[in-house]
Amino acid sequence: MRRRRAIALSVCVATAAAMAFSAGPAASRARAAAAACRPSEVFASADGGDDSADIHAHDARQGYARVRTSVDNAKGTAHANAVNPKTGVHWFSGPGGQVFSAEEQGRPYPWTDLSGTPRDAAGLTAAGKGPEKEGFGFRKDARAYILEPGGTGRIITFAADRPKTWSTVRLVAAADDPLAASLRYGSLSDLAFDGHDRAWLSSLDGIIWRVDDTEGARWQAHSVVRLDTGDTALTGIAFATDRDRLGALLVSTAGTTRTIREVLGVGGNGHYLSEPLYSGDAGSYTDLASCAYPKDLPGLSAGPSRARRA
């Protein structure tokens, strides 16, 4: 009897230890991921310099200072990046249209099913052989969207927990939009989503677009404003919030330095870029991402919205 009790006790202890071991690291990773994804933080893909292709975190609460390297990436040059708002996992693209994901400070994992570019419903081109992916963003429900370059007007979309099951969205401009032709030039650079599930898109030539309804397989975009970016290209777009502000729309530009700027007074109140909130290092920031989904956007034209509201 005493021996059976000892065996039973040892089994219980071993089981508890195994459960603690299996749950502990996962729980700590989940806590670390959640802590790493704050609405005040903006994540930028670096291009050029010693840390090319790394993803850097900037914090609105610290004046957009660069606070850490979120992903130490050795997968070539930087392109698009995004962060899953539910898990804090970073997703990003690399040379040849490759797609990777990584936990904060983690090792990148390659997603061959998303690498390359969709040819048609039958499948993808050979992994790593497609054109670069220029924009990457998550809606607040953790659905991902990747811009397909080359003026196709097509967006790859998938649920973060089912990346192998992807589909496409067709992006078109409203028929009466004065800048409709610019969507056909392949100049779209990035996209981000607000708290009403509206998509905001940037183009290299400084145009900001908005899609009010992102539920279907066909998106109709309206040009909101054309920004004066001087001799630089508009490469990234993201939102950020902090204690003092409801929501700020941020952009990055390609030039001799890396910069993050705020879009000021879009729609009726002027439309221009702030002085750099961050400027430094050699190269540029090719893409911005965040976990901020503001519903109130002071100074940004809201306009009609048919988006699903949470």
Side-chain angles (χ1 to χ4, degrees):
M1 177 69 78
R2 195 176 296 130
R3 185 170 179 272
R4 282 200 298 268
R5 270 200 221 106
I7 292 173
L9 180 60
S10 65
V11 169
C12 290
V13 170
T15 302
M19 290 176 64
F21 178 80
S22 61
S28 63
R29 282 198 302 270
R31 284 193 297 272
C37 193
R38 302 181 180 92
S40 64
E41 288 192 327
V42 177
F43 301 96
S45 297
D47 191 18
D50 294 336
D51 53 3
S52 184
D54 291 347
I55 298 175
H56 302 306
H58 295 258
D59 200 321
R61 297 171 304 178
Q62 300 185 37
Y64 291 98
R66 179 172 143 181
V67 293
R68 69 183 182 282
T69 297
S70 300
V71 178
D72 186 2
N73 179 24
K75 299 299 181 180
T77 56
H79 292 289
N81 92 99
V83 58
N84 184 333
K86 294 186 180 296
T87 64
V89 171
H90 292 272
W91 290 70
F92 52 96
S93 65
Q98 300 176 86
V99 175
F100 303 90
S101 68
E103 293 182 341
E104 183 92 6
Q105 308 296 334
R107 178 180 297 178
Y109 175 83
W111 290 94
T112 56
D113 296 274
L114 293 168
S115 297
T117 300
R119 283 193 308 254
D120 48 39
L124 299 166
T125 58
K129 301 298 184 182
E132 314 301 357
K133 294 177 171 65
E134 300 299 337
F136 207 151
F138 275 94
R139 212 164 55 178
K140 68 178 184 292
D141 60 359
R143 186 158 194 89
Y145 295 86
I146 308 176
L147 294 177
E148 183 179 296
T152 64
R154 196 160 61 166
I155 299 172
I156 305 162
T157 179
F158 60 93
D161 59 344
R162 297 188 305 277
K164 293 184 178 182
T165 309
W166 55 266
S167 59
T168 58
V169 170
R170 176 68 61 181
L171 180 68
V172 298
D176 58 347
D177 195 295
L179 299 176
S182 68
L183 277 186
R184 296 195 293 270
Y185 297 153
S187 65
L188 289 176
S189 56
D190 197 15
L191 76 166
F193 295 85
D194 65 20
H196 297 299
D197 289 342
R198 296 178 300 190
W200 297 71
L201 299 97
S202 60
S203 66
L204 294 172
D205 52 359
I207 301 173
I208 301 291
W209 300 84
R210 195 186 72 236
V211 177
D212 293 330
D213 185 357
T214 60
E215 286 301 306
R218 186 177 183 273
W219 287 7
Q220 183 169 275
H222 302 266
S223 60
V224 176
V225 67
R226 183 193 287 273
L227 299 167
D228 182 7
T229 59
D231 59 354
T232 62
L234 195 112
T235 58
I237 187 170
F239 290 102
T241 61
D242 59 28
R243 293 187 183 92
D244 302 319
R245 305 193 57 183
L246 295 175
L249 180 62
L250 306 172
V251 299
S252 58
T253 56
T256 55
T257 60
R258 297 173 185 163
T259 64
I260 298 175
R261 299 172 184 261
E262 182 179 348
V263 179
L264 299 173
V266 168
N269 299 315
H271 37 80
Y272 49 94
L273 295 174
S274 71
E275 291 298 312
L277 302 171
Y278 171 82
S279 180
D281 298 332
S284 64
Y285 277 153
T286 61
D287 203 75
L288 298 179
S290 76
C291 282
Y293 296 91
K295 291 189 175 182
D296 297 304
L297 302 170
L300 296 176
S301 175
S305 177
R306 299 182 301 280
R308 172 176 58 82
R309 295 174 184 265

